[in-house]
Amino acid sequence: MHTEDNKKSSHVVWHEATVTRARREAANGHRSVILWFTGLSGAGKSTLAHALEEQLHCLGMRTFVFDGDNVRHGLCSDLGFSEADREENIRRIGEMAKLFTQAGVIALTAFISPFRSDRDRVRALVKRGDFIEIYCHASLDACEARDVKGLYARARKGEIRDFTGISSPYEEPDAPELIVETGSRPLDDCVDQVIRYLAECGIIKA
Amino acid sequence: MHTEDNKKSSHVVWHEATVTRARREAANGHRSVILWFTGLSGAGKSTLAHALEEQLHCLGMRTFVFDGDNVRHGLCSDLGFSEADREENIRRIGEMAKLFTQAGVIALTAFISPFRSDRDRVRALVKRGDFIEIYCHASLDACEARDVKGLYARARKGEIRDFTGISSPYEEPDAPELIVETGSRPLDDCVDQVIRYLAECGIIKA
């Protein structure tokens, strides 16, 4: 029960995993990494991730965007918003993103992920160079001014507890691989900036 | 904090997910499904999954095998072996496999998954035809006779609690999409059987 034990048999002979990450990357023509977008609510993380994914897909690459929509209702549906649950939420997202990189896929994650410790734990899960922290920078004023879903207004009224930037801190990345000025630059420029970075690092072909 | 809210902005314009599963499947040239291997410890689930993956990869397909090695130490590292934890383990594997299918990848899962209710819950997560239950059939005698890791011997001695087949039931699938006689047929035949099935269903090209 506790482990798989298909090591050998008289009939079905033992067969190790032979399709490695390296073979997948070779087949795909690009490296697989985690692009970890972090920033305030409304900073444009999900927007940038999806726009970038569109470009990468058109270039023939394998990608997947994780966001609240496909994670909170599924894999993390058992979690609430306590401190422990938020930490566990980010941990699972990190582990899942890691599996996607092992599958040869570029994993883009779009979560506020306000705490350095949580992000650093994900970074520590994978080998050097596999975790690319992309800080989507927009001022709180700008994010609050947009307030597309009215979340900031509700947070100001005290209707949402522990709202990042209002009643809970956002810890800026100390040394992110990239800072993208999503608060002031056009989307296309932001996408180009990330693509240039990926090409410079040899993750995708220039 | 609670949701992503990048719906619109004066700078980074709202951008929905545009890279759909259908576009990924078209790019890959095959459908993405969950191949759920179930059966006793030692029946050959992981062996068959990896051998099948090798074939599919060589045919240019996108695949990924989930097994105890890459799940129990990562995504499910917080879980033990209580009834509730085992159920949660299978739930998460199902949710993760579902995300892989959304990413266009054929997800192969190799877990004993002894309970019908757990397997049926995963089946219910995805649309009809996306969950293919493959029963790796081998007699308990055969599995116990091999006992590559000595787990059956330890279970008989009472050193492992709730060991499937010995001190915990294995509930055979009622109506699996496939039954593969991994206990008595050569591995290549078993692989061929699954590949024929996938081609017949139009999941991969014949």
Side-chain angles (χ1 to χ4, degrees), chain A residues 1 4-6 11 13 18 23-24 28 41-42 46-47 54 62-63 74-75 91-92 149 163-164 183, chain B residues 1 4-6 11 13 18 23-24 28 41-42 46-47 54 62-63 74-75 91-92 149 163-164 183:
Chain A
M1 187 77 206
E4 297 300 294
D5 59 328
N6 309 293
H11 304 289
V13 180
T18 53
R23 285 178 67 192
R24 297 179 212 277
N28 289 343
S41 178
S46 188
T47 303
E54 175 65 37
R62 265 64 189 183
T63 58
L75 186 70
R91 187 192 74 81
R92 286 190 205 166
K149 289 184 179 173
F163 193 85
T164 300
Chain B
M1 187 76 206
E4 298 300 296
D5 59 327
N6 309 293
H11 304 288
V13 180
T18 53
R23 286 177 66 192
R24 297 179 212 275
N28 289 344
S41 178
S46 188
T47 303
E54 174 66 37
R62 266 62 188 183
T63 58
L75 185 70
R91 187 192 74 81
R92 286 191 205 167
K149 288 184 177 171
F163 193 85
T164 301

Side-chain angles (χ1 to χ4, degrees), chain A residues 114-132:
Chain A
F115 301 114
R116 263 183 224 118
S117 55
D118 290 340
R119 298 190 302 261
D120 287 349
R121 257 192 295 272
V122 178
R123 184 185 287 273
L125 283 181
V126 295
K127 69 178 168 58
R128 199 184 168 81
D130 280 2
F131 181 84
I132 295 166

Side-chain angles (χ1 to χ4, degrees), chain A residues 95-200:
Chain A
E95 291 285 2
M96 194 168 45
K98 179 181 177 179
L99 288 174
F100 272 73
T101 64
Q102 290 172 355
V105 177
I106 297 175
L108 303 88
T109 66
F111 299 90
I112 297 172
S113 50
F115 301 114
R116 263 183 224 118
S117 55
D118 290 340
R119 298 190 302 261
D120 287 349
R121 257 192 295 272
V122 178
R123 184 185 287 273
L125 283 181
V126 295
K127 69 178 168 58
R128 199 184 168 81
D130 280 2
F131 181 84
I132 295 166
E133 192 171 4
I134 301 175
Y135 179 25
C136 296
H137 181 256
S139 70
L140 179 60
D141 283 353
C143 293
E144 192 167 2
R146 302 171 189 170
D147 202 14
V148 185
K149 289 184 179 173
L151 294 173
Y152 282 96
R154 290 180 55 207
R156 289 285 183 198
K157 283 188 219 161
E159 293 173 13
I160 305 175
R161 290 194 331 146
D162 300 329
F163 193 85
T164 300
I166 305 295
S167 44
S168 185
Y170 177 80
E171 298 175 354
E172 294 196 319
D174 279 329
E177 276 70 12
L178 267 181
I179 300 175
V180 182
E181 296 293 344
T182 49
S184 59
R185 290 179 55 199
L187 180 58
D188 287 350
D189 287 3
C190 298
V191 170
D192 287 348
Q193 183 187 351
V194 181
I195 289 198
R196 273 200 311 278
Y197 177 84
L198 296 177
E200 282 164 15

Side-chain angles (χ1 to χ4, degrees), chain A residues 40-54:
Chain A
L40 291 172
S41 178
K45 300 175 296 298
S46 188
T47 303
L48 176 55
H50 282 297
L52 176 63
E53 173 172 63
E54 175 65 37

Side-chain angles (χ1 to χ4, degrees), chain A residues 1-20 23-24 27-28 40-48 50-55 57-58 62-78 81 86 88 91-93 95-96 99-100 102-103 105 110-115 143 146-149 151-152 160-164 168 181-187 190, chain B residues 1-20 23-24 27-28 40-48 50-55 57-58 62-78 81 86 88 91-93 95-96 99-100 102-103 105 110-115 143 146-149 151-152 160-164 168 181-187 190:
Chain A
M1 187 77 206
H2 294 198
T3 51
E4 297 300 294
D5 59 328
N6 309 293
K7 289 300 174 192
K8 203 190 288 182
S9 103
S10 54
H11 304 289
V12 172
V13 180
W14 177 53
H15 205 278
E16 261 201 282
T18 53
V19 183
T20 59
R23 285 178 67 192
R24 297 179 212 277
N28 289 343
L40 291 172
S41 178
K45 300 175 296 298
S46 188
T47 303
L48 176 55
H50 282 297
L52 176 63
E53 173 172 63
E54 175 65 37
Q55 290 289 310
H57 181 81
C58 289
R62 265 64 189 183
T63 58
F64 196 69
V65 176
F66 299 90
D67 58 22
D69 287 341
N70 58 22
V71 169
R72 268 285 179 189
H73 301 295
L75 186 70
C76 297
S77 61
D78 55 321
F81 291 93
R86 286 176 175 184
E88 172 66 7
R91 187 192 74 81
R92 286 190 205 166
I93 292 161
E95 291 285 2
M96 194 168 45
L99 288 174
F100 272 73
Q102 290 172 355
V105 177
F111 299 90
I112 297 172
S113 50
F115 301 114
C143 293
R146 302 171 189 170
D147 202 14
V148 185
K149 289 184 179 173
L151 294 173
Y152 282 96
I160 305 175
R161 290 194 331 146
D162 300 329
F163 193 85
T164 300
S168 185
E181 296 293 344
T182 49
S184 59
R185 290 179 55 199
L187 180 58
C190 298
Chain B
M1 187 76 206
H2 294 198
T3 50
E4 298 300 296
D5 59 327
N6 309 293
K7 289 300 175 191
K8 204 191 286 182
S9 104
S10 53
H11 304 288
V12 171
V13 180
W14 177 54
H15 205 277
E16 261 200 281
T18 53
V19 183
T20 59
R23 286 177 66 192
R24 297 179 212 275
N28 289 344
L40 292 172
S41 178
K45 300 176 296 299
S46 188
T47 303
L48 176 56
H50 283 296
L52 177 63
E53 172 172 63
E54 174 66 37
Q55 289 291 308
H57 181 80
C58 289
R62 266 62 188 183
T63 58
F64 195 69
V65 176
F66 299 89
D67 57 22
D69 288 342
N70 58 22
V71 169
R72 269 283 178 189
H73 301 296
L75 185 70
C76 296
S77 61
D78 56 321
F81 292 93
R86 286 176 176 183
E88 172 65 8
R91 187 192 74 81
R92 286 191 205 167
I93 292 161
E95 291 285 2
M96 194 168 45
L99 288 174
F100 272 73
Q102 290 173 356
V105 177
F111 299 89
I112 298 172
S113 49
F115 300 115
C143 294
R146 301 171 190 171
D147 202 13
V148 185
K149 288 184 177 171
L151 295 173
Y152 282 96
I160 306 174
R161 288 192 335 144
D162 300 329
F163 193 85
T164 301
S168 185
E181 296 293 342
T182 49
S184 57
R185 290 180 54 200
L187 180 58
C190 297

Side-chain angles (χ1 to χ4, degrees), chain B residues 28 30 53-61 195 204-205:
Chain B
N28 289 344
H30 59 84
E53 172 172 63
E54 174 66 37
Q55 289 291 308
L56 295 175
H57 181 80
C58 289
L59 292 168
M61 300 180 192
I195 290 197
I204 64 174
K205 285 172 192 152

